[in-house]
Amino acid sequence: MLLTISEFLGRFHPVLVHLPIGILLIAAVFYFLSLREKYKALQQATSVALLLGMLSAVGSSISGYLLSISGDYEADIVSIHKWMGFAVAAIAIVSYFLYTRKSNAVKWTIGLMTILIFITGHSGGSLTHGSDYLTKSIAVTATKKEQKRIANVQEAVLYSDVVQPILEEKCYSCHNAAKQKGKLRLDGPEWISKGGKQGEVVITGKADESELIKRLLLTKQHEDHMPPKEKPQLSEKEIALLHWWINSGLSFDKKVKDLAQTEKIKPLLLSLQTAAGNEVKAKPQLPEASVEQADVAAIKKLTDRGVVVLPVAQNSNYLLVNFVTVQNLKEEDIKLLLGIKKQLVWLKLGNQPVTDDMLTSIAQCKALTRLDLNQTKITDKGFIHLQQLPNLQTLNLVGTAVTINGLTQLKNIKALQAIYLYQTSVDKQSYAAIKTALPKVAIDTGGYIVPTLPGDTTVFVKPKAE
């Protein structure tokens, strides 16, 4: 019971700790201002502020000590913050009594107290948020650039290349060497296997029975949900990868290729490889150079045929063209685009009977950055025309008969950023070869399958009749 009361009182520390910081700093400001003749009226306020600051510092130190013995923090690391806190409380007491006795030494103790407050606050921030919390926002961009690329996910080590980055980003802030909520550390294989205050958190081969997965799947409003709702949450894909890691034997050294992979997990793993290969800075999908307005007569010919023609942005002469409402598409309809080829940047031809020969006219629209050819009749033969689009960045080929032979013809388009290949004739064995030919292009194969979470479904129960 005594331990429970100690833990309860210790949890008030985050609430109490800000009081002495604010009050004592105000007291210091009041004191040094009151040394000047025009601010002598602040002397009484200084006395009151020092008294309140002293009392709150003592209360904060006691609650901090009780929190430190809970075991949630590394003893060696918390020790500095604890003793610095005691020092602030002690100096605050001395400063108050010296001030009430009008001792000249009080200016030195108040000065020392101010310095200690900043040191103690910094050590507390480091304890809670990490030693790099002041520079974290500055260094985050550089850190991301240095992350290891996954050129071939099958050759990656599952724990170090897939699992550990997830834990580091979403779990380390509460479960690391400095801070162990529930006496749990997740920053190393030995600690993960050891578990926390309530025992093991992962059970080899039994993800659904593992406490780690159970807590991740709780609703955000549940008090046991992890991570806390105010912190970045794991995505469904990340949860699915952790689930598979545990069920696959909780390996810390095996490569992805050495583990059995379900049809559900394969596309998730492949998406990691895709993301890693697309680390170049995305280019704007609108040309930077300005262009004159399109010919009104050329636009009218398209709209009369049922084609949707719209500006891509306000105050822009660049155009988006969509053939979604066109019936009985013919090659003559595609040739109408040549009248606005300088302004055409986004073109949607999805679900239309577009053939390889029709791409001859499209190849003359050199400003194109987005091209949607999903569910069309194009084949690998049409890529001889597509490779003539130097500014093409996004290409949708979903539901077409294209193969790797056509895709490799795009390797010289330096602006290309993403290709969508769901339900194409590209077989899974070709994915690695495509990434080799197009290393900086995100290849999206679609068909993602993620686990159903408890919060995804709401069950409505018919109310009983009165």
Side-chain angles (χ1 to χ4, degrees):
M1 178 62 72
L2 180 60
L3 182 59
T4 303
I5 294 174
S6 297
E7 290 182 350
F8 174 74
L9 294 176
R11 295 185 186 279
F12 281 94
H13 181 67
V15 178
L16 297 175
V17 72
H18 298 93
L19 291 175
I21 294 175
I23 297 173
L24 290 175
L25 286 178
I26 288 176
V29 172
F30 283 178
Y31 170 74
F32 288 108
L33 284 175
S34 68
L35 295 179
R36 301 176 63 180
E37 188 65 31
K38 60 188 293 188
Y39 295 114
K40 279 190 176 294
L42 289 175
Q43 291 179 350
Q44 188 63 35
T46 303
S47 178
V48 174
L50 281 173
L51 175 61
L52 294 177
M54 173 192 72
L55 295 175
S56 61
V58 171
S60 179
S61 297
I62 294 173
S63 63
Y65 170 74
L66 294 176
L67 183 62
S68 71
I69 63 176
S70 66
D72 286 349
Y73 298 87
E74 183 68 27
D76 292 340
I77 299 176
V78 79
S79 178
I80 297 175
H81 179 62
K82 177 177 66 177
W83 288 110
M84 292 302 295
F86 286 154
V88 169
I91 297 298
I93 293 172
V94 172
S95 296
Y96 173 71
F97 284 103
L98 288 177
Y99 186 78
T100 56
R101 285 162 176 73
K102 303 186 183 303
S103 171
N104 290 329
V106 70
K107 62 183 178 182
W108 300 109
T109 58
I110 289 180
L112 176 60
M113 178 187 71
T114 302
I115 295 172
L116 288 175
I117 287 173
F118 283 106
I119 296 174
T120 307
H122 174 67
S123 64
S126 299
L127 190 65
T128 304
H129 305 291
S131 59
D132 61 342
Y133 78 103
L134 284 178
T135 58
K136 200 170 190 178
S137 60
I138 301 173
V140 65
T141 303
T143 302
K144 286 184 178 179
K145 289 182 180 178
E146 294 173 0
Q147 287 179 348
K148 182 179 179 181
R149 296 187 179 190
I150 304 180
N152 185 346
V153 73
Q154 295 299 325
E155 292 294 332
V157 177
L158 178 56
Y159 173 71
S160 60
D161 293 332
V162 178
V163 174
Q164 191 174 30
I166 297 174
L167 298 178
E168 183 175 5
E169 182 181 0
K170 303 294 176 63
C171 306
Y172 279 14
S173 62
C174 292
H175 303 285
N176 56 65
K179 182 179 181 182
Q180 302 116 39
K181 291 190 69 173
K183 297 185 178 180
L184 172 65
R185 287 180 61 175
L186 294 174
D187 56 336
E190 66 276 20
W191 305 110
I192 295 173
S193 300
K194 180 181 179 181
K197 183 190 297 185
Q198 298 181 353
E200 58 185 354
V201 294
V202 287
I203 303 174
T204 304
K206 298 180 180 179
D208 292 328
E209 298 178 23
S210 298
E211 193 67 23
L212 176 66
I213 299 298
K214 285 182 178 180
R215 296 209 175 197
L216 290 175
L217 295 179
L218 291 173
T219 61
K220 287 178 67 174
Q221 290 70 32
H222 198 288
E223 62 179 356
D224 291 330
H225 171 79
M226 292 296 166
K229 61 182 180 180
E230 66 274 6
K231 295 199 173 185
Q233 301 297 304
L234 277 78
S235 66
E236 292 182 346
K237 182 176 80 171
E238 290 171 331
I239 295 175
L241 289 169
L242 293 179
H243 191 282
W244 174 66
W245 170 57
I246 296 172
N247 275 345
S248 297
L250 202 65
S251 170
F252 292 98
D253 53 14
K254 288 185 178 180
K255 292 185 175 182
V256 171
K257 68 178 182 180
D258 297 328
L259 300 168
Q261 299 169 30
T262 64
E263 290 303 314
K264 293 182 179 181
I265 207 66
K266 286 180 181 178
L268 299 184
L269 290 169
L270 188 61
S271 70
L272 297 176
Q273 178 176 301
T274 299
N278 189 32
E279 294 182 9
V280 294
K281 183 178 179 181
K283 298 178 181 178
Q285 294 205 337
L286 289 180
E288 295 181 1
S290 60
V291 67
E292 68 270 18
Q293 286 187 343
D295 182 64
V296 176
I299 295 177
K300 188 175 187 305
K301 289 180 182 179
L302 285 164
T303 55
D304 287 346
R305 185 62 183 88
V307 180
V308 178
V309 181
L310 297 170
V312 294
Q314 188 175 8
N315 300 322
S316 174
N317 291 328
Y318 287 107
L319 300 174
L320 173 155
V321 173
N322 194 338
F323 280 74
V324 65
T325 57
V326 175
Q327 301 292 326
N328 302 316
L329 180 74
K330 298 178 181 179
E331 188 169 355
E332 289 73 19
D333 300 324
I334 300 297
K335 289 182 178 179
L336 294 176
L337 295 172
L338 298 179
I340 59 168
K341 63 181 182 181
K342 291 183 179 180
Q343 294 80 17
L344 179 59
V345 288
W346 299 351
L347 176 59
K348 295 187 177 183
L349 290 165
N351 296 291
Q352 290 286 358
V354 179
T355 64
D356 295 330
D357 291 336
M358 293 181 183
L359 297 179
T360 303
S361 298
I362 295 174
Q364 298 180 53
C365 302
K366 305 298 184 181
L368 268 179
T369 60
R370 292 185 186 178
L371 179 57
D372 188 345
L373 295 171
N374 71 293
Q375 307 297 335
T376 59
K377 296 182 178 181
I378 68 165
T379 67
D380 290 343
K381 294 180 180 179
F383 281 84
I384 192 173
H385 305 299
L386 294 181
Q387 65 181 329
Q388 298 176 45
L389 297 171
N391 296 304
L392 187 63
Q393 297 179 28
T394 302
L395 179 60
N396 187 343
L397 299 171
V398 172
T400 62
V402 301
T403 70
I404 184 175
N405 295 325
L407 292 171
T408 53
Q409 296 181 51
L410 304 176
K411 60 183 179 181
N412 292 324
I413 303 180
K414 297 181 179 180
L416 196 59
Q417 297 179 21
I419 301 177
Y420 298 88
L421 295 177
Y422 182 52
Q423 294 181 337
T424 63
S425 296
V426 179
D427 56 74
K428 295 181 179 179
Q429 288 71 32
S430 301
Y431 292 160
I434 294 173
K435 289 304 300 180
T436 300
L438 305 169
K440 295 183 179 181
V441 180
I443 306 299
D444 193 324
T445 58
Y448 302 127
I449 301 174
V450 295
T452 302
L453 305 180
D456 291 342
T457 305
T458 302
V459 178
F460 292 92
V461 180
K462 184 178 180 180
K464 295 180 180 180
E466 296 182 358

